[in-house]
């Protein structure tokens, strides 16, 4: 799906005019509008075993994805490196577990998190959020029966995704993925 530049918000058009990319608000606006496209949402093939996705053309050079979540599926803990982003649940319900603490960006393998850094958001259809650089989270479809579908957008396009494991308050860097790993 391509969004014509004339349908972007004035702030998105202005930010591109000066060479800057879309803001978190622009990305949230995009995922909200895209998630309301019932024909697009219905066109996503759903797999009972694993997540499915289709790459979309995001606004202002951003990267965007339409993602299907089978029951009891999730991303695991990860971040989007230097990209800002937004996502919105188009159908079903998703849960986001995130950390409120800003983590060091490089040079570590294991961190002990302090108490009180965990946040949980339940995002029903039509609900979403934007986030800044280095946002660490996991997204889950906790339903036992129902698929969920969501729209995601990132700017700049994802340079890498860092994947983590978590045991209690210990967060451990497990893997760094590059675009060629998921394209």
């Amino acid at each position: 799906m391509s969004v014509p530049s004339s349908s972007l918000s004035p702030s998105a058009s202005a930010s591109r005019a000066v060479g800057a990319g879309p803001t978190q608000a622009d990305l949230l606006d995009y995922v909200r509008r895209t998630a309301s496209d019932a024909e697009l949402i219905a066109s996503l093939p759903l797999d009972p075993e694993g997540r499915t996705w289709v790459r979309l053309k995001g606004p202002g050079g951003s990267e965007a994805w339409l993602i299907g979540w089978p029951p009891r599926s999730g991303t695991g803990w990860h971040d989007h490196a230097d990209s800002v982003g937004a996502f919105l649940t188009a159908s079903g319900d998703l849960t986001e577990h995130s950390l409120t603490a800003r983590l060091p960006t490089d040079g570590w393998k294991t961190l002990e998190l302090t108490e009180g850094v965990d946040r949980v958001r339940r995002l029903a259809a039509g609900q979403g959020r934007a986030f800044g650089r280095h946002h660490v989270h996991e997204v889950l479809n906790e339903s036992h029966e129902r698929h969920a579908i969501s729209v995601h957008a990132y700017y700049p396009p994802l340079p890498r995704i860092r994947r983590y494991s978590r045991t209690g308050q210990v967060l451990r860097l497990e893997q760094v993925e590059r675009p060629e790993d998921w394209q």
Side-chain angles (χ1 to χ4, degrees):
M1 177 180 133
S2 175
V3 177
S5 60
S6 61
S7 68
L8 293 174
S9 66
S11 63
S13 298
S15 66
R16 273 209 320 273
V18 295
T23 65
Q24 291 176 42
D26 296 331
L27 295 176
L28 187 58
D29 179 59
Y30 167 82
V31 298
R32 192 169 278 126
R33 286 183 290 111
T34 303
S36 70
D37 182 339
E39 186 177 331
L40 175 68
I41 301 308
S43 74
L44 181 67
L46 299 176
D47 183 321
E49 302 295 319
R51 287 188 300 148
T52 55
W53 54 87
V54 173
R55 189 170 187 161
L56 306 171
K57 183 174 167 66
S62 66
E63 176 174 353
W65 298 88
L66 178 62
I67 300 176
W69 306 76
R72 308 296 296 169
S73 64
T75 60
W77 287 94
H78 67 284
D79 72 15
H80 304 99
D82 295 318
S83 297
V84 298
F87 72 100
L88 187 127
T89 305
S91 71
D93 296 284
L94 293 173
T95 300
E96 179 196 37
H97 295 256
S98 63
L99 302 177
T100 60
R102 178 129 171 118
L103 303 180
T105 56
D106 290 304
W108 64 276
K109 288 291 238 176
T110 303
L111 287 176
E112 186 163 346
L113 303 170
T114 59
E115 295 293 325
V117 298
D118 290 292
R119 294 293 178 264
V120 177
R121 285 183 179 84
R122 308 245 186 269
L123 302 166
Q127 296 179 319
R129 70 174 312 250
F131 53 85
R133 290 164 169 51
H134 310 291
H135 176 70
V136 177
H137 69 166
E138 69 173 345
V139 179
L140 307 164
N141 177 5
E142 296 178 319
S143 171
H144 290 271
E145 308 84 38
R146 188 169 175 208
H147 270 79
I149 297 175
S150 57
V151 179
H152 302 246
Y154 311 98
Y155 186 84
L158 296 172
R160 62 186 175 186
I161 294 176
R162 290 180 288 230
R163 298 215 174 263
Y164 306 98
S165 62
R166 181 160 181 198
T167 306
Q169 293 302 107
V170 176
L171 189 70
R172 179 171 287 113
L173 176 64
E174 297 292 344
Q175 179 180 4
V176 177
E177 295 177 3
R178 307 253 178 238
E180 56 271 14
D181 297 326
W182 64 79
Q183 304 267 344

